[in-house]
Amino acid sequence: MEKVKEITVRLVKVVLSRIFIVGVILALQVGWMILFLVKLSEYSAMISALFNIISALAVLYIINKQDNPAYKLAWVVPILLFPLLGGLLYASMGNKQPSRRLRAKLDAEYNKMNPSLEQSAEVLEELEKSNKQVALQSRYIHKVTNFPIYKNTTAKYYKSGEDNYPDMLQELRKAKHYIFLEYFIIDEGKMWDQILEILVEKVKQGVEVRLIYDDFGCLRTLPYPYYQKMERLGIKCFAFNPYIPIFSVVMNHRDHRKILVIDGHTAFTGGINLADEYINHIERFGYWKDAGIMLKGEAVWNFTVMFLQMWNAMRPTDEDISVFKPHIHFDEVFESDGYVQPYGDTPLDQEVVGENVYLNLINGATRYIYMYTPYLIIDNEMMTALCLAAKKGVDVRIVTPGIPDKKYVFWLTQSYYSQLVQNGVKIYEYQPGFIHAKCFVCDDEVATVGTINMDYRSLYLHFECGVFLYQSNVVKQVKEDAMEVFSVSKRITEKDCHRRLPMRLIQAILRLFAPLM
């Protein structure tokens, strides 16, 4: 009897959840659209012909766009297969660009704040003398994102969420002036409850606390409207791009960043969201392997500006952002640990910064390059770069999850193994559980730690961030972590890549639509 009651309570909770309601509304929209078009085309051959013409024009438009060929193919095929629906479907959700309203707001803030991001000529000159190739990578990042590279910054790497969490709490307790948080997922539980308790206490002490959370990322985890609860507690808050159940690509553009800035001189980022699985307080897919990084010093300014650009675009507040600079609330001299360059990526432009940073690292590697990614859904450019590096004799290793969070994404990830393994790339599946970290380390010299997955959503649709490091202690720490991960991971062989026909067919279909997932 108790079992039945428990199942009933869970079922009612699911049915009444926001994500279930959103799913039902979207399904009804799609069903109604298909039924309407079918009935309309049956009524009139002229109308049916009109829909076919719309689909043909959509195909011509897609082919002539300056876009990733895989993304084009993922749309052209369904349009040709279903001309009645395909053209209108593309018109409603095929454009990858954010809404004009969102773009206008963010562009205005970027233009306003970019002058505050000044590259030190002295630092860049030192970097060019030390390593010309690294300097070129840094120049690229600065040119397309405006975020400069710094010295006078220390970095600490965390190989798990539970290692990262105590330092997060400790630094939050030290806050005296302001705390900025920007996260894709927040979930009520031990991790968030303890952080929230500190935030509320800090508000009472006069500390300004601002919070941005992604509405879609928190669709399953936070009640609606959660931002109102935060405001009642004294925390200034908004939900990014509130998710409305409309069949539109506008809902695709999510804020996937994880940023915590404290008093302008301390920042955290990485793959770690504010939910209990990220600190392994609860178990979802075996052991949750993640990574994070803490910065102290001048480079924190990049993250502060990144946050303020998003904040002021949605909620205009600050006329003068110089009051948030690193030295305003830090009188001592910052220590230096190599070169540090936090950077952001945005779907507002045609520049795939995250992917290009990864490609530059792969193409420039001479001895080894090791990578963590929860999802391996790559385009032809990335596939070519990885295979070419391996053929040149570079030790290329990629770690993916041993226990997936989404089965169909895992099957899609595995569909890329065969070509990579045949060309000498070493693929490892992390056996203890799910690896959510997004890290690269190369040749004992450079590393990146951030939020950017190796999939189309992270590389093309989301707002993301990362940290590029050279001659930092973090480089050694990421490599040591990678060696530990390899030792508990299964190396994939060509034999492992051989699948039965039904699975190969499923993977082939998934590959076709990969850019849309």
Side-chain angles (χ1 to χ4, degrees), residues 40-90:
L40 200 61
S41 63
E42 288 177 355
Y43 179 77
S44 170
M46 186 176 294
I47 293 174
S48 180
L50 177 62
F51 288 145
N52 285 325
I53 291 171
I54 291 173
S55 292
L57 291 173
V59 168
L60 289 173
Y61 173 74
I62 293 167
I63 290 172
N64 285 281
K65 280 188 71 176
Q66 290 184 352
D67 216 334
N68 187 286
Y71 188 79
K72 292 182 183 181
L73 186 64
W75 273 109
V76 167
V77 170
I79 290 173
L80 293 177
L81 287 175
F82 309 104
L84 188 64
L85 180 64
L88 291 179
L89 192 63
Y90 180 80

Side-chain angles (χ1 to χ4, degrees), residues 335-407:
E335 294 181 28
S336 195
D337 174 25
Y339 299 81
V340 183
Q341 187 170 20
Y343 61 93
D345 196 1
T346 164
L348 294 179
D349 53 32
Q350 296 295 321
E351 196 76 27
V352 283
V353 176
E355 182 173 38
N356 287 339
V357 168
Y358 289 168
L359 287 171
N360 287 342
L361 289 174
I362 295 165
N363 292 331
T366 58
R367 293 191 291 118
Y368 74 84
I369 184 160
Y370 302 152
M371 296 156 259
Y372 297 157
T373 181
Y375 315 116
L376 185 66
I377 306 171
I378 55 179
D379 57 19
N380 184 65
E381 288 84 351
M382 183 65 73
M383 176 66 77
T384 301
L386 290 166
C387 293
L388 181 59
K391 288 176 181 177
K392 290 191 298 186
V394 177
D395 182 11
V396 182
R397 305 188 193 185
I398 305 172
V399 185
T400 62
I403 301 176
D405 63 336
K406 305 176 189 73
K407 277 285 185 183

Side-chain angles (χ1 to χ4, degrees), residues 72 196 392 458 491:
K72 292 182 183 181
L196 184 57
K392 290 191 298 186
S458 270
R491 183 173 170 184

Side-chain angles (χ1 to χ4, degrees), residues 167 171-172 174 180 260-268 294-297 300 303-304 326 330 334:
D167 280 4
E171 295 299 328
L172 282 168
K174 293 179 185 177
F180 298 155
L260 169 59
V261 175
I262 301 165
D263 289 346
H265 53 67
T266 301
F268 291 84
M294 176 176 69
L295 304 181
K296 284 181 176 285
V300 173
F303 278 126
T304 305
F330 191 89
F334 288 122

Side-chain angles (χ1 to χ4, degrees), residues 454-465:
M454 292 175 72
D455 66 10
Y456 285 88
R457 287 202 163 274
S458 270
L459 300 175
Y460 288 89
L461 295 174
H462 290 167
F463 292 85
E464 302 278 4
C465 63

Side-chain angles (χ1 to χ4, degrees), residues 391-425:
K391 288 176 181 177
K392 290 191 298 186
V394 177
D395 182 11
V396 182
R397 305 188 193 185
I398 305 172
V399 185
T400 62
I403 301 176
D405 63 336
K406 305 176 189 73
K407 277 285 185 183
Y408 72 93
V409 176
F410 188 53
W411 295 337
L412 181 55
T413 288
Q414 290 179 324
S415 74
Y416 292 88
Y417 287 178
S418 181
Q419 185 177 349
L420 290 167
V421 171
Q422 287 175 13
N423 284 280
V425 176

